Amino acid sequence: MKVIVVGAGVVGCAIAYELAVRGVQVHVIDGRGPGLGATRASAGMLTPYIEGHSAALLQLGVCGLEQYDRFISRVSSDAGAPIEYRRIGTLQIAHDDAEAGKLAEEDRALSAMGVAHSLLSGREARQLEPALDARVTAGLRIPAHGYVGVQSLLSALVEAATRRGAEFSVAHVHAIDGAAPVRVETTGGALSADAVVVAAGSWSGGIVLAGRQAPVRPVRGQLLHLRLSEPPVSHVVWGAAAYLVPWQDGSVLVGATVEDVGFDERVTVSGVRRLLDDGERLVPALGNAAFHEARAGLRPATADELPIIGASSSMRGVYFATGHYRSGVLLAPLTAALVADQLVDGRERRELALVRPDRFGL
Ligand SMILES: Cc1cc2nc3c(=O)[nH]c(=O)nc-3n(C[C@H](O)[C@H](O)[C@H](O)COP(=O)(O)OP(=O)(O)OC[C@H]3O[C@@H](n4cnc5c(N)ncnc54)[C@H](O)[C@@H]3O)c2cc1C
């Protein structure tokens, strides 16, 4: 079986790897090369109990997190390369009564779900993380959370998929004609395959699909990459306005803006200024960090903030894996498994019911 994957972000690469493992002949096509879309700017946090804003997203996120240990060990071993991945937990912090009230609400919700966590006073939070701002009034720790270094994950996925026979090429896909075989029009000429997976992130709607359009819009996020000689904190730290992700080498990611600015991938002065201020408000020692890089990416959002995953109901051989908005890294292993199960084995996991393309007429 031959499958074309359009888009080599974390979602397309995870799918390519999973299909290649199952013996599919995979061709990944990206207009720019692997990992240069939203994936490049991602903080890589794996935090479903903070970001699961709806019951469906929470269910998907928890399921996604459950897959991570095994997924990372498989990809790392198949690629022969280490992946920065740590389940170090999150520490959410409050600076005032209103923010502390929100943490108390989350505490009750987590207790009702039976999720291990602890609600802390400001003093307890600072005992746990001495580098925190002295004005912190409360904290909430969730040990199950973690992060993955997205660049290391992406390189390993490309290497592991390539070792399993997947081919990667650079070309822009204009149009897809669903039929048997599926026809894919690219800047490098027309290609055919048994199936095609649209994993083109925010740009998915720009591909001509027999008069239909994937309803995905871009939401820009900017993120800073700073460096200290050692990690200033031992948890992923979340404040009301920003979060910090501490890597083992002393790198700290500070994210992120959420901006409705269309297809504008620029890093801006005001975005960087805001993140520097908000980051220092969480951990003042960041004022002394080296500035490594600022990155921007376009998160692919849908109207219900859930991804679009699985076989098209109307175009034979066309599958979607797009619209992952703020959770594409968290959901990449789950998405890859859902697509591969359906495409290769004709098996539909129950999570697919939450994300079907037909809810948008696809
Ligand atoms: C600042 C920021 C922080 C984030 N933090 C997190 C986080 O902590 N945890 C988390 O889970 N998620 C996070 N996200 C979200 C996550 O990064 C995205 O959901 C994820 O990267 C989407 O991956 P993707 O592969 O669908 O899209 P992309 O990474 O955008 O990849 C799409 C690819 O398709 C290619 N493409 C597009 N159109 C075409 C075409 N017509 N032909 C050929 N190729 C095409 C593009 O070149 C691109 O490489 C964050 C995002 C941002 C911006």
Side-chain angles (χ1 to χ4, degrees):
M1 179 190 272
K2 182 175 175 191
V3 175
I4 292 174
V5 177
V6 183
V10 68
V11 172
C13 289
I15 292 168
Y17 167 69
E18 201 61 61
L19 290 174
V21 165
R22 298 187 196 197
V24 172
Q25 190 190 336
V26 184
H27 183 178
V28 186
I29 304 175
D30 194 293
R32 300 195 269 195
L36 298 175
T39 298
R40 185 175 168 275
S42 181
M45 291 180 301
L46 309 171
T47 52
Y49 296 113
I50 299 178
E51 300 215 75
H53 299 301
S54 65
L57 191 55
L58 179 62
Q59 186 182 332
L60 290 170
V62 171
C63 187
L65 185 62
E66 277 167 13
Q67 313 228 336
Y68 244 92
D69 282 355
R70 199 170 123 62
F71 185 74
I72 292 292
S73 85
R74 283 170 60 214
V75 176
S76 178
S77 132
D78 277 359
I83 298 171
E84 168 125 11
Y85 166 65
R86 295 194 298 154
R87 297 285 284 273
I88 55 177
T90 44
L91 180 63
Q92 291 163 265
I93 57 166
H95 268 99
D96 57 33
D97 289 351
E99 289 173 19
K102 285 195 185 135
L103 294 188
E105 259 173 49
E106 279 187 48
D107 166 56
R108 288 190 287 277
L110 290 166
S111 296
M113 287 188 283
V115 176
H117 70 285
S118 38
L119 187 63
L120 308 171
S121 67
R123 198 169 57 84
E124 288 168 331
R126 284 193 305 278
Q127 268 168 1
L128 196 61
E129 292 289 5
L132 284 181
D133 181 49
R135 291 160 296 178
V136 165
T137 59
L140 179 68
R141 179 169 178 264
I142 305 177
H145 285 156
Y147 76 90
V148 62
V150 179
Q151 285 80 3
S152 65
L153 172 60
L154 197 93
S155 316
L157 280 170
V158 172
E159 177 63 25
T162 304
R163 287 185 179 192
R164 296 276 187 162
E167 180 194 344
F168 287 77
S169 63
V170 176
H172 185 80
V173 171
H174 298 301
I176 294 170
D177 235 345
V182 175
R183 192 178 153 85
V184 178
E185 306 280 352
T186 83
T187 43
L191 300 167
S192 64
D194 299 297
V196 61
V197 183
V198 178
S202 288
W203 300 270
S204 300
I207 299 171
V208 177
L209 285 164
R212 294 175 188 80
Q213 203 183 17
V216 180
R217 72 185 173 89
V219 177
R220 184 170 70 190
Q222 301 187 49
L223 172 131
L224 308 180
H225 185 159
L226 309 179
R227 281 210 176 119
L228 286 163
S229 53
E230 55 187 51
V233 285
S234 55
H235 294 78
V236 171
V237 172
W238 271 78
Y243 55 73
L244 308 179
V245 182
W247 288 3
Q248 293 179 86
D249 69 354
S251 291
V252 181
L253 306 183
V254 184
T257 64
V258 180
E259 303 165 88
D260 220 336
V261 291
F263 287 91
D264 179 353
E265 290 181 281
R266 289 174 311 140
V267 168
T268 64
V269 170
S270 61
V272 171
R273 184 187 297 127
R274 212 212 82 188
L275 291 169
L276 287 172
D277 289 346
D278 290 342
E280 266 192 271
R281 200 164 124 80
L282 296 177
V283 169
L286 287 182
N288 201 31
F291 191 97
H292 176 63
E293 197 179 25
R295 303 192 270 269
L298 303 178
R299 305 176 184 93
T302 60
D304 58 10
E305 298 192 1
L306 292 173
I308 304 171
I309 304 172
S312 165
S313 59
S314 51
M315 291 170 279
R316 240 175 97 199
V318 177
Y319 291 73
F320 291 92
T322 185
H324 289 72
Y325 193 36
R326 302 185 67 143
S327 306
V329 177
L330 171 64
L331 298 181
L334 174 65
T335 301
L338 291 174
V339 170
D341 280 358
Q342 194 183 27
L343 202 159
V344 181
D345 305 327
R347 198 158 63 87
E348 299 204 356
R349 293 199 192 189
R350 70 195 157 89
E351 290 79 18
L352 217 46
L354 303 170
V355 291
R356 280 186 203 289
D358 61 7
R359 74 188 193 282
F360 292 119
L362 293 172

